[in-house]
Structures are given as structure tokens and as C-alpha cells.
Amino acid sequence: MSTTTVETSAEVREARPAPTGRRFRRRGEQSMAGKLVSHSILIVASLIALFPIVWLIFLSLGPDKDDYLHPGGIWKKMTFTNYSFVLRHTEFFDWLKSSLIVSLGTTVIGVLIAATTGYAVSRMRFPGYRKFMWVLLLTQMFPVAVLMVPMYQILSDLELIDSYLGLILVYCSTAVPYCAWLLKGYFDTIPFEIDEAGRVDGLTPFGTFARLILPLAKPGLAVAAFYSFLTAFGEVAFASTFMLSDTKYTFAVGLQTFVSEHDAQRNLMAATAVLIAIPVSAFFYLVQKNLVTGLTAGGTKG
């Protein structure tokens, strides 16, 4: 029996073709040419994305307000005087305080409302719940110019003109509908059995939501928080209309003070824009771990 096995194995080895030294690609593996093309496209796309940022930083180092017309001369006279002027002789820190108050307030209130709304529509079946979500979506279709007058009238009646709370509520009306849709799709991916397990353990619906569902929904909450923060941080139209005091200007409105009818201090504007990017970059760093997961998870169900 063993002799037959040995002979058969020897025959199989003899019948097997000798290796030619050629490497076969695995299924799904790119060829060398394909890798070069994809990497080249990614490098070009990265350069296109980074160019405005690098150009803005470069212009911020020019000491004169007209250096943007002759950028080649900046190399010989680079300086950080624009940054020191902005930090010492403008209301930069007042703008920073106002922007953080409004942005963080919008993030906290907006995400809280959007999370409870998305969870209710995802888990509960009440009359008109589908139409309710479509109504939220329709609110995103109105342009800012149409909403400006009625919102101003409402805030005026509530005595919230030139107040942080009034601007936060205005921004929540923009951020909540989108975030509710986003979080509803994410909650749909969380198994309903988790809610049932919470009820078996004696938790109330709110306790189940707070203690079981929210920890699992961190990626979706991170995306909603990032969107709400950016919505409030970079908005101009509502902030310039509803905030009347110079000390309550946000960054987006404060940048407009460098440009007037007869003058434009673009060097100071560029330096301020670079400084403005620091809080946004810090916030992005805090939520970046959950951003990719949150952006893709809601697209598989719901």
C-alpha cells in the first residue's frame, strides 16, 4: 500500500509543470501600471486640495496689503507681522469666543435634538412618521434669502436679536434636519434586539437610548457633530444679519471687517483665515476616528 502511494506521488510531481519564474496576480490585485495610474491620480488630487491652503499661508506672510498682486516678491520679505497685528490690534479673541460659543452650542443642542428625532423615527411607528422625515428634508430646500425675513421677525419678537442663543437656534434649524436623517440611517443599522434586551433589564425607552444605543452610535454622532460645528463656524449670512455688536461677531463676519468699499487688507484677512483654521482642525482631530465609519454605516440599511 505504501509503495503504491510513493509511486503515485512521484508521478504527480513529474506531471506537474516546472515553475517558470512568472508571478501570477491574485484576484483583485492591481498591475504595476494600474498602481502607477491610481497613485498618480491621488497625488494630483492631493496637490489640488492642498494648493489653496498653501497659497493662503504664503499670502499671509506678505507684509503689504497689495502683495497678492505680486506674489513673487513675498519670498524676499516674508514676515509674521500680520499674525501679531491680528492678535494684538483686532477683536480676534472676541471673534474666537463668539464662534466657539455659537458653534459648540449648535453642536450640543443640534446633535441632541437630531439624535432623539432620528431614534424615534427609527424605532417607533407613529402616525405620519414617514411624512415627518420628508417635511424635515423639505426645510433644506428653502434658500437663505427666503428664510432671513421671517427668522428676523421671530427673533425680534422673542428679543433674541444680537444674542448667542438666537443665532444658535437659527443654526439648529439648518443642521437638525440633515443630522436627523443621517442618524436615523445609522440607528437603523443597530439591531432592534438591543432595545428589547434593555427593556428586559428594566430600562425605560430613554434609558435604553442613553445607555445602550448612544454608545454604539458614536461614529454617527461624530459626523453629526462635525457637520453642526462647521455649519455654525463658517456661516456668514445669518451671523452678519442677527449679530449687531462688534464684540459678538463670529470669525466669518469678522473677516469682512478687513474689506471695505475703498480698502482691502488682504494680508490681514489671509493671516486671520489661517488662524481660524486652527479650531476647526482641532475639532476634526477629536472626531476623525469615527468620521469614516459614521459616513459609511448609514448607507447599508434604512
Side-chain angles (χ1 to χ4, degrees), residues 207-273:
T208 302
F209 170 70
R211 299 179 62 178
L212 299 180
I213 302 300
L214 284 185
L216 296 175
K218 284 183 179 179
L221 294 174
V223 177
F226 190 65
Y227 175 80
S228 300
F229 186 88
L230 289 185
T231 298
F233 199 86
E235 201 278 332
V236 178
F238 288 130
S240 59
T241 303
F242 300 145
M243 305 303 281
L244 307 179
S245 302
D246 295 345
T247 56
K248 292 185 178 181
Y249 283 169
T250 60
F251 273 139
V253 182
L255 279 175
Q256 295 181 342
T257 61
F258 295 114
V259 179
S260 63
E261 184 179 357
H262 304 288
D263 189 21
Q265 298 173 315
R266 301 189 185 275
N267 56 331
L268 299 180
M269 180 184 292
T272 308

Side-chain angles (χ1 to χ4, degrees), residues 15 42-43 85-86 106 155 164 169 178 248 252 271:
L42 290 175
I43 291 174
F85 182 88
V86 168
T106 302
L155 294 181
Y164 295 130
L169 294 178
Y178 172 80
K248 292 185 178 181

Side-chain angles (χ1 to χ4, degrees), residues 92-158:
F92 177 84
F93 291 102
D94 290 331
W95 301 341
L96 174 62
K97 180 188 72 173
S98 300
S99 296
L100 291 179
I101 291 174
V102 173
S103 300
L104 295 177
T106 302
T107 301
V108 173
I109 298 176
V111 172
L112 178 62
I113 296 174
T116 53
T117 302
Y119 178 74
V121 177
S122 175
R123 291 296 194 266
M124 303 174 186
R125 295 297 176 262
F126 50 88
Y129 77 97
R130 291 186 181 274
K131 296 180 180 179
F132 173 71
M133 293 302 292
W134 284 110
V135 169
L136 287 181
L137 188 62
L138 287 174
T139 60
Q140 301 289 88
M141 300 175 63
F142 295 99
V144 173
V146 175
L147 300 174
M148 192 75 69
V149 175
M151 282 189 173
Y152 190 93
Q153 185 64 44
I154 293 173
L155 294 181
S156 178
D157 294 339
L158 296 176

